[in-house]
Amino acid sequence: MEEPAPEPVVKAPAEKPAEKPKDVEIHQTLDGDKKEEKPVANKITVGHVHMSGCTGCLVSLADNYEGLFKILDDYADLVYCLTLADVRHIPEMDVALVEGSVCLQDETSVREIKETRERAKVVVALGGCAAYGNITRFCRGGQWNQPQHESYVPIGDLIDVDVVIPSCPPGAESIRNVCVMAYLLLQGTDEQKELAAAYLKPLMDLAKRGTEACGCDLMYDVINQGLCMGCGTCAASCPVRAITMEYGRPAIDRDMCIKCGACYAQCPRSFFNFDVINQFEGIMEAIDGAMGKGGE
Amino acid sequence: MVLGNYKSVISARAADAEILKRSQDGGIVTQLFAYALEEGIIDGAIVAGPGDEPWKPEPVVATTRAELLAARGTRYTISPNMMLIKEATRSYGLDKVGIVGTPCQMQALRKAQLYPMAMRKVPDKIALAIGIFCMENFPYQGLEAIVEDHCNVKMESADKMDIGKGKFSVYTERGAISQIPLKATHKYEQPGCHVCLDYVANLADVSTGSVGSPDGWSTVFVRTKNGENVWSKAIDAGYFETKDIASVKPGLDLVTKLATDKIDKNKKSVEARATFGVNKGLRNPYI
């Protein structure tokens, strides 16, 4: 393997002038004509921070296939991701995609989540574990060889979280949408900034709502509130099929529920922001356009 | 805005006599899906198929004309069609999914496309979303009470049910008609319907319903580019008879009036929730 080119390190911090050390030789490995003629200006910096997660959230990001390459080509530099790049320590980031919850008995984890907050403009709790604890809610220690590793909390219990993307795994397209919208928010025109802010608002509201999730949310905050109309979206969203529809209402097998937060977040009666969703056609076209999938 | 965005509105009915035989109104949903299936525009559609109790719908992924035909007719109770939206792209293996639903289900669908948090691969596979007009819906037991107690008809012997002109009507297989004033049905309405701010399925590709058009015909709104594309092809291929909406009675004025009435009434109940308790309110999903 060749050493990766050190561009990200050079580019990332705005306060340091981008200057290549004279003794560094860069070996061009791509075809010259396929390489960007000039680097795309104003990319945002994105990091993937892996706490106590399973990497499934990162796989979901990668599951955007060429969409991810488009994002990395035009909109974002991946400045940190232990799975994919050799940057060892958490750098400054515009957006931190954090997956996994935090083990309170693991000092490194606790330090890293704090560093993430200090160094990222926008912290995204990516997936059910970071957002709500998910399966790590059931942890209780007692396993070799760290039997004392027993307490796990969603990242929002230790730091302020700006945006959450619930579910286990979170849909590839929702991560893509958040990345595109974050780019528009930080680098777009005024109109794009407005759209991005409106798009992200419900995901920011979910972050403020709390760090607990369960199939029970459908009872507490939808059915008990007189809002359920039996559309069945919750049943479709549940990754473990813990929800069935009986006489037009969700019936939740709570021993099967892994507490990922998908059902409530996907329910059209949790949040339904007309200002954004009424424009579904234009927004989906805009995202397709940003992904290079223009008209037919 | 009470009628949503649309490119055109028309009065129409299916050209296929077999479809019209048991369709609720103009057979628009069944005909459009049947056309889309034949043409490969969709490779299956989520529809309200027959369930395990009389007049209780069960969402099914229909991949044949016969399955589409089996879903004809309005069942005035909940069919959670969205519950199959992800499965249609999984074990059913569909690439181009059709779905019919009430306005709330169209809302759920568009939210799932824009915010697909637990809906991987769903957003790009929606090929045709047909919305049906909906004033309100009933839980199954509510429908049972209306039909069996108020209308004095056994669910098994009902042949068609219809809401129109201020009445709930049940037609039996042997030809009897039982009607009650709609007022008597209000207490059986699904409570979640009372915060709904959409009458004519504003977020569908194509939406359709009986109001505005004569019996046996439907009012059709063509809303999105995709909807326009499919609808115009179906018209060109001769799958529908159409009439200018301006030429039919009662026409668009009645649709506008009913939509306005529904939205105004439900906006009030949404507002009332904010001060439902003492210094406390109920949740508002729209803010």
Side-chain angles (χ1 to χ4, degrees):
Chain A
M1 285 265 301
E2 237 170 356
E3 280 291 305
E7 277 132 314
V9 181
V10 175
K11 267 190 194 171
E15 60 275 15
K16 286 183 196 164
E19 198 179 307
K20 190 176 69 179
K22 290 184 181 61
D23 55 338
V24 175
E25 270 187 55
I26 295 178
H27 298 281
Q28 184 67 287
T29 53
L30 291 169
D31 287 352
D33 57 343
K34 283 188 182 168
K35 183 87 176 166
E36 296 159 353
E37 282 184 1
K38 52 175 185 178
V40 176
N42 302 330
K43 278 189 188 178
I44 61 171
T45 54
V46 175
H48 171 260
V49 180
H50 199 301
M51 305 303 295
S52 296
C54 73
T55 332
C57 293
L58 181 63
V59 171
S60 272
L61 172 64
D63 242 357
N64 281 296
Y65 294 90
E66 68 274 23
L68 175 61
F69 296 139
K70 180 74 179 169
I71 289 173
L72 295 178
D73 279 345
D74 290 357
Y75 308 115
D77 281 320
L78 188 67
V79 293
Y80 177 74
C81 177
L82 290 178
T83 310
L84 299 173
D86 200 16
V87 177
R88 305 297 175 89
H89 300 289
I90 297 173
E92 299 282 329
M93 297 168 275
D94 288 325
V95 178
L97 301 170
V98 185
E99 83 165 90
S101 60
V102 187
C103 176
L104 299 184
Q105 289 84 24
D106 177 4
E107 279 176 36
T108 310
S109 292
V110 173
R111 191 184 68 240
E112 284 190 342
I113 194 64
K114 291 180 182 172
E115 285 175 1
T116 300
R117 179 67 275 181
E118 283 162 15
R119 295 173 195 176
K121 288 197 186 94
V122 178
V123 171
V124 179
L126 176 60
C129 291
Y132 300 120
N134 200 34
I135 198 75
T136 65
R137 285 288 188 194
F138 299 89
C139 291
R140 40 187 283 284
Q143 288 180 317
W144 288 111
N145 60 356
Q146 299 286 356
Q148 80 286 9
H149 280 191
E150 67 174 30
S151 314
Y152 291 77
V153 295
I155 64 169
D157 284 359
L158 298 182
I159 62 168
D160 287 328
V161 171
D162 302 302
V163 171
V164 303
I165 309 178
S167 185
C168 178
E173 303 89 340
S174 62
I175 311 174
R176 172 199 70 192
N177 291 359
V178 166
C179 289
V180 170
M181 291 297 173
Y183 171 80
L184 295 181
L185 190 69
L186 297 170
Q187 300 292 352
T189 62
D190 285 351
E191 198 187 350
Q192 289 170 328
K193 279 183 177 143
E194 200 180 322
L195 169 68
Y199 178 88
L200 293 170
K201 182 178 180 293
L203 304 179
M204 298 172 80
D205 290 344
L206 279 179
K208 289 194 204 95
R209 177 173 170 266
T211 56
E212 287 177 28
C214 178
C216 298
D217 293 348
L218 296 174
M219 298 191 272
Y220 300 143
D221 281 355
V222 184
I223 304 169
N224 295 169
Q225 286 281 315
L227 294 170
C228 181
M229 42 59 186
C231 67
T233 307
C234 51
S237 72
C238 180
V240 297
R241 299 177 198 261
I243 303 172
T244 50
M245 298 299 288
E246 288 175 16
Y247 288 107
R249 289 290 175 271
I252 303 140
D253 185 338
R254 297 192 305 284
D255 275 352
M256 206 186 261
C257 170
I258 55 166
K259 298 180 184 288
C260 71
C263 53
Y264 178 74
Q266 200 70 70
C267 168
R269 291 283 169 86
S270 59
F271 69 83
F272 194 85
N273 45 342
F274 282 108
D275 58 335
V276 172
I277 299 179
N278 278 358
Q279 304 178 56
F280 71 94
E281 201 181 3
I283 295 176
M284 287 196 300
E285 274 176 15
I287 292 173
D288 278 353
M291 289 294 107
K293 287 193 280 183
E296 302 186 3
Chain B
M1 198 55 208
V2 294
L3 301 182
N5 297 323
Y6 58 91
K7 297 180 189 298
S8 61
V9 53
I10 202 163
S11 193
R13 74 172 176 191
D16 186 328
E18 191 195 10
I19 286 176
L20 285 177
K21 220 171 180 178
R22 292 205 55 79
S23 64
Q24 185 75 11
D25 298 299
I28 305 296
V29 179
T30 310
Q31 179 76 85
L32 196 53
F33 276 150
Y35 166 74
L37 200 57
E38 278 170 31
E39 291 298 307
I41 294 166
I42 58 171
D43 43 24
I46 302 170
V47 296
D52 54 5
E53 292 179 67
W55 293 91
K56 183 166 174 280
E58 181 69 27
V60 295
V61 177
T63 54
T64 63
R65 179 182 160 90
E67 285 169 308
L68 288 175
L69 291 183
R72 283 171 298 175
T74 303
R75 267 67 49 84
Y76 287 98
T77 183
I78 303 153
S79 178
N81 286 6
M82 277 295 287
M83 79 185 209
L84 288 175
I85 198 71
K86 193 157 73 177
E87 196 60 28
T89 69
R90 302 296 197 274
S91 57
Y92 292 92
L94 305 192
D95 287 319
K96 292 170 276 184
V97 180
I99 180 169
V100 59
T102 50
C104 55
Q105 291 170 340
M106 293 297 107
Q107 293 179 342
L109 177 75
R110 299 316 184 186
K111 175 172 169 179
Q113 286 186 277
L114 275 184
Y115 294 95
M117 293 165 281
M119 291 286 176
R120 177 171 172 256
K121 303 298 174 205
V122 169
D124 295 341
K125 295 197 171 177
I126 307 303
L128 181 59
I130 307 181
I132 46 181
F133 302 178
C134 178
M135 189 57 87
E136 73 276 310
N137 204 350
F138 303 100
Y140 184 73
Q141 294 79 1
L143 182 68
E144 240 176 349
I146 293 167
V147 173
E148 301 217 326
D149 295 351
H150 290 264
C151 296
N152 199 23
V153 172
K154 285 186 81 84
M155 292 285 267
E156 292 89 327
S157 49
D159 188 50
K160 181 171 181 172
M161 299 178 194
D162 185 44
I163 293 177
K165 303 176 184 77
K167 291 189 168 63
F168 186 101
S169 311
V170 185
Y171 304 81
T172 72
E173 284 168 355
R174 288 170 176 253
I177 303 171
S178 183
Q179 287 187 319
I180 57 164
L182 208 49
K183 200 168 174 246
T185 69
H186 288 336
K187 68 175 174 182
Y188 300 111
E189 287 166 5
Q190 167 174 240
C193 292
H194 296 153
V195 299
C196 174
L197 306 177
D198 187 348
Y199 177 53
V200 287
N202 295 352
L203 299 186
D205 289 316
V206 173
S207 52
T208 182
S210 69
V211 173
S213 290
D215 287 350
W217 289 72
S218 299
T219 302
V220 179
F221 290 92
V222 182
R223 299 185 177 281
T224 61
K225 278 183 203 161
N226 177 42
E228 193 177 41
N229 184 28
V230 179
W231 180 254
S232 62
K233 280 188 199 158
I235 295 282
D236 291 347
Y239 280 75
F240 291 98
E241 287 180 72
T242 59
K243 290 178 182 174
D244 186 348
I245 191 76
S247 74
V248 302
K249 294 276 184 231
L252 215 50
D253 287 350
L254 184 65
V255 187
T256 310
K257 182 191 177 299
L258 292 183
T260 309
D261 288 352
K262 172 177 177 176
I263 292 164
D264 286 350
K265 177 170 86 63
N266 289 346
K267 263 189 182 155
K268 277 190 195 128
S269 51
V270 170
E271 278 161 23
R273 293 172 62 88
T275 54
F276 196 84
V278 178
N279 296 327
K280 284 171 190 289
L282 297 171
R283 207 169 64 73
N284 180 352
Y286 304 130
I287 50 171

